[in-house]
């Protein structure tokens, strides 16, 4: 799956925010949000942009609300309900007034942004993530968004592999499933 590097980074941020800022299960254990969200939000942002500045606690709280909405998109795709995923993305695009424009900053070349100047961090990322996920959903790669299929894990992923067969959020979950299957076969 080929994206431009900016879109790929934003999709990775969407995955990072969902995985760091929504509760559920992670790698076989319950995953609860930490009492201080800023480090988790920063980790999510840095999933796509390793040098992203640290999020404040207020920004992190707003990003957590965005992450909950983005999780719904991944869940709909995993349930093979692309119509619902598209409707959720369209609502986010409308609410954030996402619109493309070229921007250049921090020594980077010109690239697309999907938010206006002066917005909040959460609003800007909501617009960018919604637009990037819309690009994925509107392409032949719409099925590359997913929720981990390992037992007791609901973390999300984007499959950028050549063959598009990824089913797990991480190598750790894949190994957990393979080990369990091996042990089950050994007992018989």
């Amino acid at each position: 799956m080929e994206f431009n590097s900016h879109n790929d980074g934003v999709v990775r941020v969407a995955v990072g925010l969902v995985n760091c800022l929504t509760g559920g299960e992670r790698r076989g254990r319950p995953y609860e949000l930490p009492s201080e969200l800023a480090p988790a939000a920063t980790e999510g942002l840095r999933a796509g942009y390793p040098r992203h500045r640290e999020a404040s606690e207020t920004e992190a709280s707003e990003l957590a609300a965005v992450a909950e909405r983005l999780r719904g998109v991944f869940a709909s795709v995993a349930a093979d309900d692309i119509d619902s995923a598209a409707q959720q993305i369209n609502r986010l695009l409308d609410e954030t007034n996402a619109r493309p424009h070229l921007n250049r900053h921090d020594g980077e070349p010109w690239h697309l942004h999907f938010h206006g100047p002066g917005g909040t961090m959460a609003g800007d990322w909501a617009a960018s993530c919604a637009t990037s996920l819309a690009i994925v959903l509107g392409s032949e790669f719409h099925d590359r968004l997913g929720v981990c299929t390992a037992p007791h894990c609901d973390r999300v992923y984007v499959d950028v592999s050549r063959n598009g067969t990824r089913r797990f959020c991480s190598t750790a979950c894949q190994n957990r499933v393979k080990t369990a299957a091996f042990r089950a076969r050994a007992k018989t």
Side-chain angles (χ1 to χ4, degrees), residues 54-135:
E54 291 185 15
S56 72
E57 201 58 38
T58 300
E59 292 167 333
S61 179
E62 293 169 356
L63 285 167
V66 171
E68 282 292 339
R69 295 188 65 190
L70 295 174
R71 173 173 282 289
V73 173
F74 284 89
S76 291
V77 172
D80 205 26
D81 189 353
I82 305 304
D83 290 343
S84 175
Q87 291 166 359
Q88 292 172 66
I89 287 295
N90 282 338
R91 278 193 295 278
L92 263 173
L93 291 169
D94 286 343
E95 291 169 18
T96 61
N97 294 312
R99 60 176 181 77
H101 66 278
L102 290 169
N103 201 339
R104 191 163 111 187
H105 55 85
D106 302 327
E108 294 182 22
W110 287 100
H111 57 277
L112 278 173
H113 274 234
F114 296 96
H115 54 81
T120 65
M121 179 197 278
D124 291 352
W125 278 112
S128 293
C129 289
T131 302
S132 290
L133 292 177
I135 290 168

Side-chain angles (χ1 to χ4, degrees), residues 12 15-16 19 25-29 31 43 144 146-160 165-179:
R12 289 179 195 278
V15 169
N19 287 342
E25 295 180 299
R26 182 182 207 165
R27 298 183 182 147
R29 301 183 195 290
Y31 179 75
E43 180 183 344
R144 299 291 187 101
V147 177
C148 187
T149 60
H152 306 292
C153 188
D154 63 2
R155 303 297 89 186
V156 302
Y157 62 88
V158 59
D159 183 355
V160 294
T165 58
R166 184 171 174 179
R167 297 183 349 206
F168 305 103
C169 68
S170 64
T171 304
C173 276
Q174 182 178 12
N175 289 342
R176 259 187 335 110
V177 169
K178 285 182 177 182
T179 300

